[in-house]
Amino acid sequence: MKHLNKVLGTAFALMATGASYGCNLKAQEKENTVLVTQSIVEKPSKHFVKIALLLDTSNSMDGLINQAKAQLWDIVNEFTHAKCGNDTRPMLQIALYEYGNDNLSSREGYIRQVLGFSDDLDEISEKLFSLTTNGGEEYCGEVIQTSLKQLDWGKNADDLKMIFIAGNEPFTQGKLNYRDAAANAKEKDVIVNTIFCGNFQQGINTEWKSGASLTGGEYMAIDHNQQVVHINTPYDDVIIKLNSKLNNTYISYGSLGYEKKALQSAQDSNAAELEEVVVVKRAVSKSSRLYKNTQWDLVDAVEDDEDVLTRLKEGDLPKELKGKSKSEIKAYVDDKKAEREKIQKEIQELNAKREAYIAQNQKEEKGELENAMLSAIKNQASKKNMKWD
């Protein structure tokens, strides 16, 4: 019996101490004090920042959608500098919902999941550009609850999980009480941040601030129709040219290859339709660690798993590699990788000069939506022991 009690005591000790790792340094300190956990509990191999964007696409919200399209790349570029407390880099995933649009199903509460959590930046851009506005009923509590149910938020306590909901109607609309949705979010360790598109006090009066406070989130009010004034720099044209060269280093393969490479080009065009500077910011994102395309690009795929070359079939190969030996394919991939790394380095160096130029010529170059989101993200990330370079 004594032996059994000892075994049970050890088991409970393991359960109590093996909670979470990664960005949370306190968990690592526990690991050092109870050595036996090292052989039982594995650290998560990756840590995530998960952001769900819930955007009102009713009438009058075109300005909000345009800001989201343009400022996606600023948010991505900021995250390239994020670090966990143990100096690993968190992965970024973004999900997208629209709500309050007459074109959506009334039975679904005028809510649609546009995209589940994804790290495919081209796909995220494509989905943002697919949004259109039309009048409707805006049910904030229901769209929050829907995103909590449908998305895979994971169970790693070190992940940063956030909802950003933006709109301009009272937060209380709909049958589902937003307080119930907020309670569910808190259970899942998801922080709800609210962005009211309009007057700050009006947002408070219509309970947008309350919707954020219940989960420890932030309430913000923005002018969603504000035009962001960008500073053109002497480095922009060079970065845009390098972006074209960068595209030529991608080797499409498999069933997704042709379609995804076309999508990459289409999102460059979408950025250009907004403003030339958006192409520049997108190019900077494409030169970062967060722009990875292992599912369709051989350079990224081989970097992730070199054995992928042994599994390739002739039909998976692009035209320029058909009939080549494995060693010839490997040499071609290596050349493209070296070329890509050189171009990415040039873009990063030019962007550093570009940012210095902007800092000298304008105190702040940030859009309303981007500024609001980055402020909340950094505040909440610090509670997960994340920091910025």
Side-chain angles (χ1 to χ4, degrees), residues 66-76 226 228 230 274 278 281 366-371:
N66 287 333
Q67 284 202 30
K69 292 173 184 175
Q71 292 160 21
L72 166 68
W73 308 111
D74 295 285
I75 292 163
V76 170
Q226 177 182 315
V228 181
H230 297 288
L274 290 174
V278 181
K281 292 176 179 181
K366 286 184 177 176
E368 289 273 290
L369 179 65
E370 170 207 356
N371 197 28

Side-chain angles (χ1 to χ4, degrees), residues 51-340:
I51 298 174
L53 294 176
L54 318 183
L55 301 180
D56 178 352
T57 57
S58 63
N59 283 338
S60 77
M61 287 291 104
D62 295 279
L64 172 69
I65 306 307
N66 287 333
Q67 284 202 30
K69 292 173 184 175
Q71 292 160 21
L72 166 68
W73 308 111
D74 295 285
I75 292 163
V76 170
N77 291 339
E78 193 70 29
F79 262 108
T80 62
H81 305 294
K83 271 187 179 181
C84 293
N86 58 3
D87 285 345
T88 60
R89 299 283 188 183
M91 306 300 292
L92 175 64
Q93 291 186 338
I94 296 175
L96 180 62
Y97 280 77
E98 64 169 321
Y99 72 103
N101 191 313
D102 272 346
N103 292 329
L104 305 177
S105 167
S106 60
R107 281 188 295 180
E108 300 294 328
Y110 301 102
I111 293 164
R112 180 172 75 98
Q113 183 188 94
V114 183
L115 182 67
F117 281 128
S118 174
D119 57 8
D120 185 333
L121 299 181
D122 289 336
E123 185 180 28
I124 296 165
S125 175
E126 177 194 28
K127 298 303 183 185
L128 278 171
F129 274 88
S130 74
L131 297 178
T132 57
T133 58
N134 195 25
E137 299 293 328
E138 294 106 288
Y139 302 149
C140 294
E142 194 161 341
V143 71
I144 291 170
Q145 184 79 335
T146 301
S147 69
L148 291 167
K149 279 182 172 180
Q150 292 182 347
L151 295 173
D152 180 10
W153 290 96
K155 295 183 179 179
N156 183 4
D158 292 330
D159 288 346
L160 179 59
K161 307 164 193 175
M162 292 176 289
I163 286 172
F164 285 89
I165 179 169
N168 70 343
E169 291 294 326
F171 209 70
T172 52
Q173 287 188 2
K175 294 178 183 178
L176 182 70
N177 191 314
Y178 74 84
R179 294 178 182 276
D180 295 330
N184 190 16
K186 203 163 185 179
E187 281 182 18
K188 292 177 178 284
D189 193 28
V190 177
I191 301 167
V192 177
N193 300 284
T194 62
I195 303 173
F196 182 69
C197 299
N199 176 269
F200 187 86
Q201 187 58 47
Q202 185 184 353
I204 293 175
N205 294 342
T206 52
E207 301 198 38
W208 282 77
K209 187 174 189 296
S210 175
S213 300
L214 288 169
T215 64
E218 296 190 30
Y219 161 67
M220 299 149 275
I222 67 169
D223 177 0
H224 57 293
N225 291 317
Q226 177 182 315
Q227 294 296 312
V228 181
V229 179
H230 297 288
I231 296 291
N232 295 320
T233 79
Y235 311 101
D236 294 355
D237 288 342
V238 186
I239 291 175
I240 290 171
K241 287 174 184 175
L242 286 170
N243 179 60
S244 296
K245 290 183 178 180
L246 185 62
N247 287 351
N248 291 331
T249 68
Y250 285 83
I251 310 168
S252 59
Y253 77 98
S255 58
L256 291 174
Y258 179 82
E259 176 188 335
K260 287 290 192 177
K261 200 164 193 308
L263 180 62
Q264 181 187 62
S265 178
Q267 297 321 300
D268 283 351
S269 298
N270 277 338
E273 283 181 17
L274 290 174
E275 255 188 288
E276 195 174 75
V277 72
V278 181
V279 183
V280 175
K281 292 176 179 181
R282 173 171 156 80
V284 173
S285 293
K286 288 165 67 178
S287 71
S288 78
R289 66 181 179 85
L290 294 174
Y291 189 76
K292 291 293 180 186
N293 299 283
T294 55
Q295 290 184 315
W296 66 269
D297 167 55
L298 266 183
V299 174
D300 283 345
V302 170
E303 184 177 15
D304 189 56
D305 177 13
E306 196 167 308
D307 290 340
V308 74
L309 292 178
T310 64
R311 300 191 295 269
L312 281 175
K313 297 177 182 177
E314 184 74 9
D316 293 329
L317 295 170
K319 183 171 59 178
E320 64 268 26
L321 293 180
K322 288 190 184 295
K324 302 286 187 183
S325 68
K326 295 296 181 189
S327 59
E328 288 174 321
I329 293 171
K330 177 68 165 59
Y332 185 85
V333 170
D334 288 345
D335 286 345
K336 288 295 183 183
K337 180 181 179 181
E339 183 184 352
R340 182 181 301 176

